[in-house]
Amino acid sequence: QKEVEQNSGPLSVPEGAIASLNCTYSDRVSQSFFWYRQYSGKSPELIMSIYSNGDKEDGRFTAQLNKASQYVSLLIRDSQPSDSATYLCAVNRSGNTGKLIFGQGTTLQVKP
Amino acid sequence: EAQVTQNPRYLITVTGKKLTVTCSQNMNHEYMSWYRQDPGLGLRQIYYSMNVEVTDKGDVPEGYKVSRKEKRNFPLILESPSPNQTSLYFCASSLHASGSYNEQFFGPGTRLTVL
């Protein structure tokens, strides 16, 4: 079992729709969770961090964390073609190493 | 502007020729890290540093060295590069390793090809 799992996609949604991206993790005591957006050939760009159960909203983005079920999700409202990218889920492993464990990423395609 | 910089951005070299990829951050971050990204394998940590003079191995440290003599700089050294080190490399930094303010910010990447 991979430590952080994501559906590779592609996930295709029409412009203006809600895109829902999901991620599960195996280390039950993980504390910090992140969503990064990565355009092809570019570096990961942090878009959301979440540390406690529940929802966290930032503009069109909402991150959801459920530690009991060990999943974290990202909702993108009013999806735009410019949101088309690979979305990486990352988990800061328990302990104090700071190491991020990344999922393989989900490719999102937003069609005009 | 707060940022992480890397140089060079692109490098083609030959097997065995020592090289250094520089990484610098201007945010006074304690934590710095190097990752490599390969198709099908995703992002994997090479080395990390909790603070000046404190470094440790990540998941794939073989063939690499690092140093942290100053807080802002964290160079990655390949003493004798081999073709299996052809990859896209990212440097990242965060204020702390864990707890609050541990969001990692990435540099623009260095695409390395070893022939």
Side-chain angles (χ1 to χ4, degrees):
Chain A
Q1 181 190 6
K2 291 182 180 177
E3 292 190 66
V4 179
E5 293 207 58
Q6 297 179 254
N7 188 322
S8 62
L11 173 66
S12 183
V13 301
E15 184 175 356
I18 296 175
S20 178
L21 306 162
N22 300 310
C23 170
T24 58
Y25 60 94
S26 60
D27 186 347
R28 182 168 290 278
V29 296
S30 296
Q31 297 294 319
S32 309
F33 307 86
F34 308 95
W35 283 99
Y36 287 85
R37 177 175 62 198
Q38 187 176 28
Y39 295 108
S40 180
K42 302 296 185 182
S43 63
E45 174 193 5
L46 180 68
I47 53 174
M48 289 289 284
S49 59
I50 187 165
Y51 300 95
S52 55
N53 280 328
D55 294 1
K56 179 182 177 182
E57 186 175 319
D58 184 1
R60 295 187 297 113
F61 299 98
T62 298
Q64 300 173 317
L65 175 61
N66 184 323
K67 289 187 178 181
S69 300
Q70 294 175 242
Y71 85 81
V72 57
S73 63
L74 179 71
L75 300 177
I76 307 174
R77 289 181 299 280
D78 189 22
S79 295
Q80 301 297 309
S82 59
D83 294 327
S84 298
T86 296
Y87 288 80
L88 301 168
C89 173
V91 175
N92 194 322
R93 188 181 265 180
S94 59
N96 202 31
T97 69
K99 176 163 60 178
L100 289 180
I101 306 298
F102 285 87
Q104 291 291 311
T106 298
T107 300
L108 174 66
Q109 297 173 347
V110 181
K111 303 203 171 193
Chain B
E1 180 189 357
Q3 60 183 347
V4 180
T5 57
Q6 294 178 229
N7 281 292
R9 296 288 313 280
Y10 303 91
L11 180 60
I12 300 174
T13 189
V14 295
T15 299
K17 186 176 180 181
K18 182 180 178 180
L19 66 92
T20 299
V21 183
T22 64
C23 172
S24 183
Q25 50 89 9
N26 62 359
M27 298 171 279
N28 201 35
H29 282 175
E30 290 184 350
Y31 184 87
M32 298 185 75
S33 180
W34 277 102
Y35 296 87
R36 60 179 288 176
Q37 187 173 33
D38 303 287
L41 297 175
L43 278 153
R44 295 175 293 168
Q45 190 183 53
I46 303 170
Y47 267 95
Y48 65 93
S49 171
M50 305 286 274
N51 214 323
V52 176
E53 302 291 0
V54 181
T55 64
D56 209 344
K57 297 177 180 179
D59 290 323
V60 288
E62 294 77 20
Y64 304 94
K65 287 175 58 177
V66 293
S67 67
R68 187 95 180 271
K69 292 182 170 55
E70 307 165 281
K71 198 170 188 178
R72 65 185 294 125
N73 296 323
F74 189 45
L76 180 69
I77 303 157
L78 285 73
E79 293 269 3
S80 183
S82 63
N84 65 9
Q85 292 178 297
T86 293
S87 187
L88 181 57
Y89 291 86
F90 292 106
C91 180
S93 73
S94 62
L95 188 59
H96 300 303
S98 61
S100 302
Y101 305 108
N102 68 339
E103 297 95 340
Q104 290 187 27
F105 298 94
F106 283 74
T110 295
R111 187 169 291 281
L112 173 65
T113 301
V114 183
L115 302 175

